[in-house]
Amino acid sequence: MHENENARKSSSHFTPRNSKPKWDDRGLGNTCRFENGKMFFGGDPFDQFQNGGMDGGPGGSSSNADTTKLYETLGVNKSADAKEIKKAYRKLAVVHHPDKGGDEHKFKEINAAYEILSDPEQRAKYDRYGLEGLEGGAGGSGGHEDLFSMFFGGGRGGRRSSGPKRGEDVNHPLQVSLEDLYNGKMVKMAVSRQVLDGEPKMCTNCSGSGAVVELRQIAIGMVQQVRRKCPACTGEGYMAPKKRQREVLEVLIEKGMKNEAKIVFRNKADEKPNMEAGHVNFVIQQKPHPLFKRKGADLLITKTISLNEALCGFEWRITHLDNREIIIKSRSGEIIKAEKDNKTPFVKIVQGEGMPSHGNPFVKGDLYVLFTVEFPEDGDLKPDQIDMLRKILPGASMAIEYDPEVAEVAHLELGDVKNFGKGGVANHDRAYDSDEGGEGGSQQVQCQQS
Ligand SMILES: [Zn+2]
């Protein structure tokens, strides 16, 4: 589809910016972001959800629903055409972009208003039913769970059921690799759905109500009214010939989408007579990645380096999720520690090399590197190497003076802090070695030595 090509064009346009490590061009961040922002709006990320002028579904318009707020938000007339709406949106989005010091809430309102008004189907629904007609999500952005509080503040007092009834939504889990969530991707999914094959006719058994009332005698001269689902139309009120139909849906995985995000195909679930069809939702299941772990827009990798590298510098190569080759390289004099003072792993970050943010893919998270420093093993260093290191490295151990007749020299064995407190008579081996059992630790060390 051409919309998708658009999205790809705008992303490849900016690839060069990311081909260098971030510390080289950090100063350029703001100007680039502005340019990116303009491109982003030009790319029209919502285009792909315009699926033509379908009707808003059965049911009359709701008299008390507000159907002007979204137009006001974009500052256009209710009669504005698609071009005018797009123009107004772009202008406002640039002015109110948070990166340009704009108000984030206002920016979100503008985006939500545009997302609805730029989609003919949704716009028609909004014109008829107001925001309530749009319940249950729009576009692929995971839904407007709270359109009302976004535009009118606070909660809403009780739902008015003015829109048409809608059938049940269907959720399909969709396994997606981290690469595809980074780069975005279009996948085609075939679904089989029930569609109506002819005009629905009102059920004569229940006169379209879907329910029948039966009188049940509970005692002599006493009857009870029982309402139950109409068996003829299974409660649908209408009957229509149905058939199964295979349909291929183009599922657009947008850059930066999160695990469990929903891609919504409005009214693509089973069709039922006199009812709006439910939505088909593809629910993203992010597959584990062998190198990167993800949290929000940030990525994390673990890296084991040698003590030599930790002290003297390192460089290594990673292939990023968009196949870019990145050389992670220490600066001169940079030291990687075995762990931080509070005993947590030593972490550094590469700025801007995380995941793209969903909705604004030009703002990326960071890449966290969690280090493990591998020390040499016992005996790896020869005496002359040790002498050299002692001269070079700060903090050399000072020789102390002691009388060997008085002081005792102790060496170290491997220990486990889990055994701390289990020493003494509780430990059989040691109890056998010791005559008295009650002496201090230094005597036990001596026993082990001999
Ligand atoms: Zn019926």
Side-chain angles (χ1 to χ4, degrees):
M1 285 183 83
H2 84 277
E3 291 91 347
N4 195 42
E5 277 169 21
N6 258 352
R8 210 172 291 142
K9 229 181 284 161
S10 59
S11 71
S12 64
H13 181 77
F14 287 100
T15 304
R17 171 171 146 75
N18 295 322
S19 57
K20 279 190 289 177
K22 274 297 155 294
W23 49 74
D24 286 333
D25 62 356
R26 217 181 294 166
L28 297 172
N30 276 338
T31 39
C32 279
R33 195 157 292 167
F34 177 51
E35 279 177 29
N36 291 346
K38 279 210 283 202
M39 278 308 294
F40 167 54
F41 301 123
D44 203 354
F46 304 118
D47 263 353
Q48 62 275 2
F49 291 100
Q50 298 182 356
N51 37 13
M54 278 164 68
D55 192 18
S61 75
S62 169
S63 55
N64 51 357
D66 182 294
T67 57
T68 55
K69 179 77 183 173
L70 297 187
Y71 293 93
E72 284 166 19
T73 301
L74 293 183
V76 294
N77 283 329
K78 283 197 78 164
S79 57
D81 64 19
K83 252 187 186 168
E84 285 173 67
I85 287 172
K86 191 183 240 178
K87 209 172 142 190
Y89 163 70
R90 283 188 190 174
K91 229 181 228 176
L92 288 170
V94 171
V95 173
H96 293 282
H97 198 287
D99 284 352
K100 295 284 291 172
D103 177 57
E104 204 181 325
H105 179 76
K106 180 82 188 156
F107 184 67
K108 274 188 190 161
E109 277 189 0
I110 292 163
N111 275 293
Y114 179 67
E115 189 174 348
I116 292 158
L117 296 184
S118 63
D119 180 330
E121 185 193 346
Q122 288 202 62
R123 185 179 173 184
K125 266 188 198 162
Y126 173 73
D127 285 345
R128 286 173 85 165
Y129 309 115
L131 290 172
E132 281 160 321
L134 299 163
E135 245 173 20
S141 57
H144 303 298
E145 305 87 353
D146 239 338
L147 273 175
F148 262 81
S149 58
M150 177 185 278
F151 285 101
F152 299 101
R156 48 203 271 220
R159 292 186 171 194
R160 288 164 291 172
S161 54
S162 54
K165 263 206 299 182
R166 205 177 84 211
E168 269 176 37
D169 292 355
V170 181
N171 291 323
H172 294 294
L174 181 64
Q175 297 282 329
V176 184
S177 71
L178 199 55
E179 282 87 349
D180 289 344
L181 290 170
Y182 186 98
N183 299 299
K185 192 183 187 180
M186 173 79 84
V187 289
K188 291 187 176 174
M189 303 292 293
V191 293
S192 168
R193 59 190 294 243
Q194 167 189 288
V195 292
L196 302 185
D197 191 21
E199 277 301 302
K201 287 195 184 71
M202 192 189 280
C203 173
T204 48
N205 192 42
C206 63
S207 309
S209 68
V212 287
V213 176
E214 286 171 356
L215 297 178
R216 188 193 293 164
Q217 183 167 3
I218 51 174
I220 293 171
M222 204 187 261
V223 288
Q224 187 186 27
Q225 282 198 345
V226 185
R227 240 176 110 79
R228 64 185 189 100
K229 202 190 258 188
C230 169
C233 63
T234 64
E236 290 174 353
Y238 284 73
M239 288 191 280
K242 296 162 185 171
K243 62 175 181 187
R244 292 210 75 82
Q245 181 177 288
R246 186 177 176 275
E247 193 162 341
V248 175
L249 301 177
E250 296 190 322
V251 183
L252 185 84
I253 297 156
E254 293 172 27
K255 291 180 183 196
M257 274 188 157
K258 299 207 167 85
N259 192 35
E260 299 291 329
K262 273 186 190 173
I263 300 169
V264 181
F265 285 83
R266 300 178 64 82
N267 310 125
K268 286 293 184 187
D270 286 350
E271 280 183 2
K272 289 181 176 167
N274 201 38
M275 203 188 262
E276 207 182 322
H279 303 331
V280 169
N281 303 319
F282 290 94
V283 186
I284 288 180
Q285 310 290 300
Q286 180 184 301
K287 287 194 253 184
H289 192 275
L291 178 61
F292 297 100
K293 285 188 173 46
R294 174 189 189 189
K295 191 171 184 181
D298 293 328
L299 291 172
L300 181 143
I301 59 175
T302 54
K303 178 66 181 172
T304 301
I305 58 174
S306 68
L307 180 60
N308 188 320
E309 290 175 298
L311 298 175
C312 308
F314 54 81
E315 50 190 337
W316 85 92
R317 181 196 321 267
I318 61 167
T319 303
H320 212 312
L321 294 165
D322 55 356
N323 260 326
R324 270 178 305 128
E325 177 182 272
I326 294 181
I327 308 296
I328 298 186
K329 185 173 181 167
S330 57
R331 294 191 188 85
S332 171
E334 182 175 350
I335 284 180
I336 301 301
K337 297 183 181 181
E339 58 188 13
K340 280 171 52 170
D341 294 341
N342 56 2
K343 307 296 172 206
T344 54
F346 193 75
V347 171
K348 293 210 145 187
I349 63 172
V350 183
Q351 286 185 324
E353 285 297 356
M355 295 291 287
S357 311
H358 184 220
N360 195 350
F362 302 105
V363 178
K364 292 205 175 86
D366 296 322
L367 173 61
Y368 283 66
V369 183
L370 196 150
F371 284 101
T372 302
V373 178
E374 211 162 58
F375 277 64
E377 295 294 332
D378 285 356
D380 280 356
L381 295 174
K382 302 290 167 279
D384 56 322
Q385 294 171 318
I386 293 168
D387 279 342
M388 282 164 69
L389 287 174
R390 189 177 284 128
K391 286 191 192 106
I392 297 163
L393 294 173
S397 179
M398 303 297 284
I400 53 167
E401 280 181 22
Y402 58 90
D403 181 351
E405 300 286 309
V406 178
E408 298 165 22
V409 174
H411 292 298
L412 301 162
E413 309 302 329
L414 277 180
D416 188 334
V417 76
K418 281 199 288 251
N419 295 331
F420 184 63
K422 293 181 187 164
V425 285
N427 183 321
H428 271 260
D429 296 338
R430 289 187 184 177
Y432 268 92
D433 279 352
S434 170
D435 289 340
E436 319 273 312
E439 285 293 318
S442 65
Q443 186 174 353
Q444 285 178 2
V445 173
Q446 272 195 316
C447 288
Q448 283 192 334
Q449 263 187 288
S450 55

